[in-house]
Amino acid sequence: MQRGSFTVKTSRNMELVDITTLLVKVLNESKASSGICFLFNPHTTAGLTINEGADPDVRSDIIAGLKEIVPLNYPFKHMEGNSPAHIMATLTGSSLTIALDEGRLQLGTWQKIFFCEYDGPRTRKVHWHFLEPL
Amino acid sequence: MQRGSFTVKTSRNMELVDITTLLVKVLNESKASSGICFLFNPHTTAGLTINEGADPDVRSDIIAGLKEIVPLNYPFKHMEGNSPAHIMATLTGSSLTIALDEGRLQLGTWQKIFFCEYDGPRTRKVHWHFLEPL
Amino acid sequence: MQRGSFTVKTSRNMELVDITTLLVKVLNESKASSGICFLFNPHTTAGLTINEGADPDVRSDIIAGLKEIVPLNYPFKHMEGNSPAHIMATLTGSSLTIALDEGRLQLGTWQKIFFCEYDGPRTRKVHWHFLEPL
């Protein structure tokens, strides 16, 4: 099993950052070939998702939709004021599992991998593990 | 590691399709016995979930609930008009991990595996990988 | 591959129960060292999530948020009356993947693992599988 981490710098309070190219780069540098890649987000106000990468409007619509879905002005108790970001983290999920085939991620035609920033801008980390079966 | 894909034909704009029997069939045909099964949905307006399979009302209630939760008439920017489906895809998730024990999926009593169609009807694919540890 | 199950007794209709210490205990008793841990919730009105464990207000805010997000008084068809709990289960997800490094879970500073009860109180189970690569 190979493993590592990479950094994602976010530039807004909420945004989806395409990390697909970065992930392919670190996997290829590690000579990962065919197997299963696990991505893990170690933050509690962020997430990981797979969605459309072709039209940048999709990722901004996802952010707009989450802001409509999660009550932003509810009287939450957590004093830091970022409870909506924690709720979005739970709705999105903290890990992804993607197959790698001869160094290529097995994504669908329109799919890209996104780091979801819900309480930025911040410098974030993503951990990866790569399992190469016999 | 064994792998494959199967096709799911959906018949409505939004629906949950029980793929449990189909998955067991393809795993058994591949002689997968005990290990971990990874399911991956390569589409950006669909998802995969595990929920109750006994009462068909549960799956239609999940669809009804998602239509209430995600704003369908928000002025989204993505010109294709299916941004609610993309948002549902991110809320549901694109992969599942399920244990297999001597050819049987380790699901709870009421659990079935569902392909979630959010922008159909379409012909969809599901990829599976099976990891059989030593 | 090692595997097992543990019991989670919930005490409210809806709550997030921190299962991190319990999970570490069962993994260490199984002499699991470095690898990937898969957690699976076999129930259809519950889920598993990773979020902040330091301030207990975060977990109660997540419950409060889910009650705002999912329509509780919608005319759902499922006669048991717990369709909101089924919808929350699909929004949260039924499995988690976490790395273990020399017996320690690779969580972020503020992260803890929670069992999400959406239709309790009940006695619930969590299944785990641990994959230790060569």
Side-chain angles (χ1 to χ4, degrees):
Chain A
M1 190 171 67
Q2 289 158 285
R3 56 184 289 181
S5 297
F6 56 88
T7 296
V8 180
K9 285 201 179 188
T10 62
S11 54
R12 300 186 201 171
N13 181 242
M14 285 184 65
E15 66 174 320
L16 264 59
V17 181
D18 186 342
I19 58 172
T20 318
T21 307
L22 189 52
L23 176 63
V24 170
K25 186 169 164 279
V26 297
L27 288 174
N28 288 349
E29 283 172 0
S30 305
K31 306 209 188 308
S33 176
S34 296
I36 301 285
C37 175
F38 302 102
L39 291 185
F40 189 81
N41 152 50
H43 309 284
T44 59
T45 53
L48 291 167
T49 196
I50 294 177
N51 217 304
E52 184 185 314
D55 179 1
D57 282 345
V58 172
R59 65 198 85 161
S60 62
D61 282 352
I62 291 170
I63 294 295
L66 286 170
K67 283 179 164 172
E68 291 289 310
I69 291 165
V70 177
L72 304 178
N73 299 312
Y74 184 88
F76 290 115
K77 291 190 285 178
H78 182 48
M79 294 298 284
E80 284 183 55
N82 58 359
S83 283
H86 286 289
I87 295 165
M88 289 173 194
T90 279
L91 292 178
T92 315
S94 51
S95 60
L96 291 176
T97 304
I98 311 146
L100 194 76
D101 188 23
E102 298 186 0
R104 297 179 64 168
L105 289 170
Q106 295 306 288
L107 295 168
T109 313
W110 305 105
Q111 286 183 321
K112 296 288 181 187
I113 304 167
F114 294 98
F115 182 85
C116 310
E117 175 62 83
Y118 298 136
D119 192 30
R122 301 202 198 196
T123 300
R124 303 289 205 171
K125 285 219 163 174
V126 174
H127 302 322
W128 60 271
H129 285 75
F130 179 70
L131 203 58
E132 194 143 13
L134 296 182
Chain B
M1 190 171 67
Q2 289 157 285
R3 56 184 290 181
S5 298
F6 56 88
T7 296
V8 181
K9 285 201 178 188
T10 62
S11 55
R12 300 185 201 171
N13 182 242
M14 287 182 65
E15 66 173 321
L16 264 59
V17 180
D18 185 343
I19 58 171
T20 317
T21 307
L22 190 53
L23 176 63
V24 169
K25 186 168 164 280
V26 297
L27 288 173
N28 288 349
E29 283 171 0
S30 304
K31 307 209 189 305
S33 176
S34 296
I36 301 284
C37 175
F38 302 103
L39 290 185
F40 188 81
N41 152 50
H43 309 285
T44 59
T45 53
L48 291 167
T49 196
I50 293 176
N51 217 303
E52 184 184 314
D55 179 2
D57 282 345
V58 172
R59 68 198 83 161
S60 63
D61 282 352
I62 292 170
I63 293 295
L66 286 170
K67 282 178 165 174
E68 291 289 310
I69 290 165
V70 176
L72 305 179
N73 298 312
Y74 185 89
F76 291 115
K77 292 189 285 177
H78 183 48
M79 294 299 284
E80 284 183 57
N82 58 358
S83 283
H86 286 288
I87 295 165
M88 290 174 193
T90 279
L91 293 177
T92 314
S94 52
S95 61
L96 291 176
T97 304
I98 311 146
L100 195 75
D101 188 23
E102 299 187 0
R104 296 178 62 170
L105 289 171
Q106 294 305 289
L107 295 168
T109 313
W110 306 106
Q111 286 182 322
K112 296 289 181 186
I113 304 167
F114 294 98
F115 182 86
C116 309
E117 174 62 82
Y118 297 136
D119 192 29
R122 298 200 199 198
T123 300
R124 304 289 205 170
K125 285 220 165 175
V126 174
H127 301 322
W128 61 271
H129 286 74
F130 180 71
L131 204 57
E132 194 144 11
L134 297 182
Chain C
M1 190 171 69
Q2 289 157 285
R3 57 184 288 183
S5 297
F6 56 88
T7 296
V8 181
K9 284 201 179 187
T10 62
S11 54
R12 300 186 201 173
N13 181 243
M14 285 183 66
E15 66 175 320
L16 264 59
V17 181
D18 185 343
I19 58 172
T20 318
T21 307
L22 189 53
L23 176 63
V24 170
K25 185 168 165 282
V26 296
L27 288 173
N28 288 350
E29 283 172 0
S30 304
K31 306 208 187 309
S33 177
S34 296
I36 301 285
C37 174
F38 302 101
L39 291 185
F40 188 81
N41 153 49
H43 309 286
T44 58
T45 54
L48 290 167
T49 196
I50 294 175
N51 216 302
E52 184 185 314
D55 179 2
D57 282 346
V58 172
R59 67 197 85 161
S60 61
D61 283 353
I62 291 170
I63 293 295
L66 286 170
K67 282 178 166 174
E68 291 289 310
I69 290 165
V70 176
L72 305 179
N73 298 311
Y74 184 89
F76 290 114
K77 291 190 284 178
H78 182 48
M79 294 299 284
E80 285 183 55
N82 59 359
S83 284
H86 285 289
I87 295 165
M88 290 174 193
T90 279
L91 293 178
T92 314
S94 52
S95 61
L96 292 176
T97 304
I98 312 145
L100 194 77
D101 188 23
E102 298 186 359
R104 297 179 62 170
L105 288 170
Q106 295 306 289
L107 295 168
T109 312
W110 306 106
Q111 286 182 322
K112 296 287 180 187
I113 304 167
F114 294 97
F115 182 86
C116 309
E117 174 63 82
Y118 298 136
D119 192 29
R122 299 201 199 196
T123 300
R124 303 290 205 170
K125 286 220 163 173
V126 175
H127 302 321
W128 61 270
H129 286 74
F130 179 71
L131 203 58
E132 195 144 11
L134 296 182

